[in-house]
Amino acid sequence: MNPYILTILLFAMGLGTTITFASSHWLLAWMGLEINTLAILPLMCQSHHPRAVEATTKYFLTQATAAAMLLFASITNAWISGQWNLELMNDSLPTTLIIMALALKIGLAPLHAWMPEVLQGLDLTTGLILSTWQKLAPFCLLLQINPSNTNLLLVLGLTSTLVGGWGGLNQNQLRKILAYSSIAHLGWMILVLQFFPPLTLMTLLLYFVMTFSLFISFKMNNATNINSLATSWSKTPVVSSMLPLILLSLGGLPPLSGFMPKWLILQELTKQDLAPLAVLAALSALLSLYFYLRISYAMTLTMTPNILLNALPWRLPSHQHTLPLALTTSMTICLLPLTPAAIALLTF
């Protein structure tokens, strides 16, 4: 892609997210979401592959439906209450419609069916943008509205954690596994959204760091399915040795960083007298942990049957920049000792 066009598209994505962040008017928030959606579409179909074009079409139709529902709900709220303010959502009908529209935008279950199919048709770099940056603007709106129907968010969150765990069990494609991982993590964030919004924000940022490390590691190995991970030791041995730790951190296994948000969310749910919900969420995390362990096994304990007669790739000079990966991997693995500081910042 032309560098100038790429710069304009990335600037438009940042502008759309910034408009949504800074808006207190539903029309401006909707406009920011639309700018964000239209900016990523050329990036998604830049390879001109039929699979990429199909994924782009699915993404556009889904986001257009969610945006139309959001606009309809905001107009309904303005008709009922006479104002367009984000924080003044007093009627249950437009509030429910807006929550469902934003759930469709970010891919919460049961409105998740587009997410694995779209991510499967994209390259890893665009998939990283779709899994991280595109979640910011809808989450900003979810954090600002005050839902009157609190049970809806709990149902969406629990369903997402269960679907994200079950859906990834029988997958061989890494991008689909990452999509179901995203759905499960979004469910954890939604569970605690109405009780402790700063904890949701911290979980989202830590998820971004862990997902960035995972996507970049797969991109360095040029891996798109589990079978291709068997050759990763001959390509990038250092990255391959760190990747199981990243995967286990995503699964929430102590003493890695990913355990911290799950621990704090379970603690907060228990404080709200939602112990059965916390138990179900913790059990659903075991499902996700299973397919993370499956990927780790395929990478570390299996070897390719081919005999490599030429020079191993890791012995050749590499031109890949590994500093961002090293920084994010360190944060993915080593942040658990900072849990008391994180709690102090969240309660400040």
Side-chain angles (χ1 to χ4, degrees), residues 7-40 70 86 105 133-141 144:
T7 303
I8 291 173
L9 292 176
L10 293 177
F11 175 76
M13 286 176 55
L15 178 65
T17 305
T18 306
I19 289 175
T20 305
F21 277 9
S23 62
S24 60
H25 194 284
W26 274 114
L27 199 59
L28 282 176
W30 170 81
M31 185 176 69
L33 291 173
E34 287 301 282
I35 292 173
N36 212 358
T37 300
L38 293 175
I40 197 176
L70 182 71
L86 282 172
K105 268 195 168 292
W133 185 265
Q134 295 298 99
K135 311 287 186 189
L136 284 174
F139 250 98
C140 175
L141 296 179
Q144 290 187 65

Side-chain angles (χ1 to χ4, degrees), residues 54-341:
E54 178 189 353
T56 307
T57 306
K58 289 179 180 178
Y59 182 75
F60 172 72
L61 292 175
T62 305
Q63 297 299 307
T65 304
M69 191 188 303
L70 182 71
L71 190 60
F72 172 74
S74 57
I75 292 174
T76 305
N77 182 65
W79 180 41
I80 293 173
S81 61
Q83 51 80 32
W84 288 82
N85 200 322
L86 282 172
E87 298 179 358
L88 298 178
M89 301 291 296
N90 300 319
D91 195 85
S92 60
L93 176 62
T95 304
T96 302
L97 285 175
I98 285 175
I99 291 176
M100 296 303 288
L102 295 173
L104 180 59
K105 268 195 168 292
I106 61 179
L108 284 175
L111 306 170
H112 69 285
W114 63 271
M115 181 75 178
E117 297 297 326
V118 169
L119 203 59
Q120 176 62 26
L122 305 178
D123 63 293
L124 289 171
T125 305
T126 313
L128 174 62
I129 298 174
L130 184 66
S131 300
T132 55
W133 185 265
Q134 295 298 99
K135 311 287 186 189
L136 284 174
F139 250 98
C140 175
L141 296 179
L142 279 173
L143 286 168
Q144 290 187 65
I145 62 176
N146 185 18
S148 56
N149 186 6
T150 56
N151 292 328
L152 177 60
L153 288 177
L154 294 178
V155 170
L156 287 174
L158 183 60
T159 308
S160 297
T161 56
L162 292 173
V163 168
W166 280 110
L169 290 179
N170 198 29
Q171 298 296 331
N172 188 42
Q173 298 293 326
L174 293 177
R175 285 167 292 185
K176 282 192 176 182
I177 290 177
L178 291 172
Y180 283 110
S181 170
S182 173
I183 294 168
H185 279 86
L186 290 175
W188 280 89
M189 300 170 208
I190 294 297
L191 280 176
V192 79
L193 178 67
Q194 56 193 327
F195 306 123
F196 201 176
L199 179 55
T200 297
L201 193 59
M202 187 204 74
T203 307
L204 182 67
L205 295 178
L206 190 56
Y207 165 72
F208 283 0
V209 171
M210 294 187 292
T211 305
F212 179 85
S213 301
L214 198 56
F215 268 94
I216 297 301
S217 300
F218 287 155
K219 186 173 178 60
M220 291 181 66
N221 286 318
N222 196 20
T224 56
N225 55 52
I226 292 182
N227 294 333
S228 61
L229 289 175
T231 61
S232 59
W233 276 106
S234 62
K235 296 177 183 177
T236 52
V238 177
V239 174
S240 300
S241 62
M242 300 300 291
L243 193 54
L245 294 177
I246 300 174
L247 289 164
L248 295 178
S249 182
L250 262 175
L253 197 70
L256 302 170
S257 302
F259 175 65
M260 177 171 60
K262 288 185 170 60
W263 177 20
L264 296 177
I265 289 172
L266 292 176
Q267 184 181 8
E268 185 63 30
L269 290 176
T270 308
K271 287 181 182 177
Q272 300 294 333
D273 294 329
L274 295 171
L277 190 66
V279 170
L280 287 174
L283 291 176
S284 69
L286 296 177
L287 298 171
S288 300
L289 189 61
Y290 172 79
F291 58 77
Y292 293 137
L293 281 171
R294 184 164 162 250
I295 299 175
S296 303
Y297 172 81
M299 172 170 282
T300 57
L301 298 178
T302 58
M303 294 182 63
T304 175
N306 299 325
I307 300 174
L308 299 176
L309 299 177
N310 54 350
L312 293 177
W314 63 268
R315 297 176 63 92
L316 303 176
S318 174
H319 302 288
Q320 294 176 326
H321 300 288
T322 57
L323 181 59
L325 178 61
L327 292 176
T328 53
T329 302
S330 302
M331 296 175 65
T332 300
I333 296 172
C334 304
L335 285 185
L336 188 62
L338 298 179
T339 303

Side-chain angles (χ1 to χ4, degrees), residues 35-55:
I35 292 173
N36 212 358
T37 300
L38 293 175
I40 197 176
L41 292 177
L43 296 176
M44 295 173 70
C45 62
Q46 62 179 332
S47 64
H48 302 295
H49 191 274
R51 195 73 177 86
V53 176
E54 178 189 353

